[in-house]
């Protein structure tokens, strides 16, 4: 089994220079490296990409630079809490050659389920591209109900996938069981990827995949070939990365930015209100990196 965007997709961080300006050259370089590491797709301008702090010209130039840099599918995060704005960005991403659209549930406003459906439906109606609905209630303040997800998939032919970060694999199993043929679910929570594969997910749109794409590919290969024990062994080796990638004192994407600095990328600090990572994050990144390299050598 392999999803339309592949099995291992990274939600890419956005590089800034020392002055806090968008660094398109570094974004393109990192995108190429992520492809070389085994990523089969990229999401840009999502949560991990600090989409809410990017201006429209920055988002569009980021779309253009990354799409030009790689040969794998690039999914453009065009959602916001303003439907008209999201529709505009969706049209622009379509024009620039994105392979798909990531439509996050509208945040802050806390709309009804009908409002969420109308918002995502308007985005889907603004493009012919495949649309991935992104359900992350911890960030948006609203869970997109299973009934609403299924209605969106049935009412809009190009709503073809879900990035699931709702934290309830049992409920996701119900979505997978009742969705139209061809509808796909990607794990949007690294720590729940293996459980979600077990209920029918096709892959991950990950964060730790920035530095562990080879292990994720091996885990997917093992799982889909029926070697669940090997998939479980690899997942266990990734648990340290999963716990590292976010936390109350250093939320995503701060840890990923520190990790990618260790991998030779000048990605800068996150923009406020995230800001710079605490000093201990870089120290822990070095430990996580060393332990993963030791696992690879065994």
């Amino acid at each position: 089994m392999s999803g339309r965007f592949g099995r291992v997709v990274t939600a890419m961080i956005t590089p800034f220079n020392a002055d806090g300006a968008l660094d398109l050259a570094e974004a393109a370089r990192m995108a190429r490296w992520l492809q070389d590491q085994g990523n089969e797709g990229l999401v840009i301008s999502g949560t991990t990409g600090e989409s809410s702090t990017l201006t429209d010209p920055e988002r569009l130039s980021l779309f253009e630079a990354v799409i030009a840099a790689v040969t794998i599918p690039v999914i453009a995060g065009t959602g916001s809490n303003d439907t008209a704005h999201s529709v505009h960005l969706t049209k622009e991403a379509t024009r620039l050659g994105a392979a798909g659209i990531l439509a996050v549930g509208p945040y802050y406003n806390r709309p009804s389920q009908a409002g969420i459906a109308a918002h995502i439906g308007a985005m889907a109606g603004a493009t012919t591209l495949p649309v991935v609905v992104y359900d992350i209630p911890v960030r948006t303040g609203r869970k997109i109900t299973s009934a609403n997800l299924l209605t969106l998939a049935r009412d809009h032919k190009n709503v073809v996938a879900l990035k699931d970060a709702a934290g309830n694999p049992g409920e996701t199993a119900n979505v997978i069981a009742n969705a139209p043929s061809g509808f796909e679910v990607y794990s949007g929570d690294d720590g729940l990827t293996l459980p979600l594969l077990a209920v029918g997910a096709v892959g991950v749109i990950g964060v730790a995949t920035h530095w562990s794409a080879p292990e994720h590919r091996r885990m997917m290969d093992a799982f889909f070939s029926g070697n669940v024990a090997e998939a479980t062994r690899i997942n266990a080796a990734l648990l340290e990365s999963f716990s590292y990638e976010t936390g109350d004192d250093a939320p995503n994407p701060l840890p990923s930015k520190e990790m990618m600095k260790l991998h030779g990328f000048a990605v800068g600090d996150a923009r406020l209100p995230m800001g710079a990572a605490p000093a201990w994050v870089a120290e822990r990144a070095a430990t996580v990196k060393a332990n993963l390299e030791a696992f690879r050598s065994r």
Side-chain angles (χ1 to χ4, degrees), residues 51-144:
S51 59
S52 60
T53 71
L54 298 174
T55 66
D56 281 6
E58 286 175 331
R59 278 212 213 193
L60 299 180
S61 62
L62 183 64
F63 295 164
E64 191 168 23
V66 174
I67 289 166
V70 297
T71 59
I72 55 178
V74 175
I75 303 166
T78 60
S80 72
N81 67 333
D82 175 347
T83 303
H85 185 208
S86 302
V87 165
H88 165 70
L89 289 172
T90 297
K91 290 178 178 177
E92 290 298 294
T94 304
R95 179 182 63 81
L96 291 170
I101 297 297
L102 185 74
V104 68
Y107 45 82
Y108 182 73
N109 313 64
R110 290 178 61 81
S112 67
Q113 292 298 315
I116 293 170
H119 173 90
I120 295 174
M123 293 178 68
T127 184
T128 57
L129 295 177
V131 174
V132 182
V133 177
Y134 182 16
D135 186 24
I136 181 166
V138 70
R139 297 258 185 183
T140 65
R142 274 280 189 258
K143 170 78 180 78
I144 307 175

Side-chain angles (χ1 to χ4, degrees), residues 28 139 186 203 214 253 260:
R139 297 258 185 183
Y186 285 83
M260 293 310 285

